[in-house]
Amino acid sequence: MGARPRAALVALILPTELLEAELYELVDGIADAQRSYACPVIGGNLAVGSALSITTTVIGSASDSVLTRSGCRVGDALYIAGELGSAALGLLLLQAGHSELGVHCVARWRRPVARIDDGLALLGIATGAIDVSDGLLQDAGHLAEASGVGFDIELERLPLHDELVEAARTLGIDPIALAVSGGEDYGLLFTVPLGVSPPVGTRIGVATSSQSVRLIDDTGQQATPAGEG
């Protein structure tokens, strides 16, 4: 949201049945993340429990200008930085034992990316923003509620990876449904004044006065993707 990560605290609760190799894989992943974001782990806690638990707290710094959920205005253009639905499909493929059908999607679920640079690039440009962790439709609702606006989202504009589209159809799943409801994508959903071209992102809609989030199909009609009710 326009801040820079500076340090992290990691609290681990480890079950006794966790293999030593699995522990080192976990630690290696944490180490990769701290290197990627120049955000060293400076402390935390380690305990034994009945189930694996990982709690991460990141400490950051921000200028006077930060991105919030509450600045969107009627008429603003709605953008998404990142792709949608890939992480959700990756999880489904892993659960089904068919990770080979979507290598990119599985990677998107296993190794989510925090869009730090995008947030910094949007400072002073975006009027409101939220990360998409609970799914596009739900998080757009959070953004709309905080700003007192609604959104019309054009389904044909949603950024979908080619692998997502192909693998979803192979499994008989609507890729659009994954794009609007799947979580863990961590794309950055944001608005800018109409006519402004942001440095990142794909335009997917517009802020309205309706106080609701509507999905619009290619005919201009309100739509409900398969799997959504």
Side-chain angles (χ1 to χ4, degrees), residues 83 85-108 110 161-173 178:
E83 61 191 69
S86 295
L89 182 62
L91 177 58
L92 291 176
L93 291 173
L94 285 169
Q95 292 172 331
H98 292 299
S99 59
E100 75 283 352
L101 294 178
V103 175
H104 169 80
C105 293
V106 168
R108 289 283 296 138
R110 281 180 165 164
H161 195 277
D162 290 343
E163 183 184 88
L164 162 68
V165 175
E166 182 176 351
R169 289 176 177 165
T170 297
L171 297 174
I173 301 171
L178 288 174

Side-chain angles (χ1 to χ4, degrees), residues 82-208:
E83 61 191 69
L84 295 167
S86 295
L89 182 62
L91 177 58
L92 291 176
L93 291 173
L94 285 169
Q95 292 172 331
H98 292 299
S99 59
E100 75 283 352
L101 294 178
V103 175
H104 169 80
C105 293
V106 168
R108 289 283 296 138
W109 184 81
R110 281 180 165 164
R111 300 181 72 89
V113 176
R115 309 190 76 86
I116 305 297
D117 291 340
D118 289 346
L120 291 168
L122 290 170
L123 288 176
I125 299 173
T127 53
I130 188 174
D131 71 306
V132 180
S133 56
D134 297 326
L136 174 64
L137 195 57
Q138 186 169 334
D139 287 315
H142 296 323
L143 189 61
E145 181 179 6
S147 293
V149 300
F151 293 114
D152 280 357
I153 298 175
E154 300 175 48
L155 297 179
E156 64 178 344
R157 291 178 176 265
L158 299 184
L160 308 181
H161 195 277
D162 290 343
E163 183 184 88
L164 162 68
V165 175
E166 182 176 351
R169 289 176 177 165
T170 297
L171 297 174
I173 301 171
D174 181 4
I176 295 294
L178 288 174
V180 300
S181 63
E184 312 303 324
D185 281 309
Y186 297 104
L188 192 59
L189 185 68
F190 63 95
T191 55
V192 298
L194 193 63
V196 172
S197 296
V200 297
T202 301
R203 182 177 175 178
I204 61 171
V206 64
T208 70

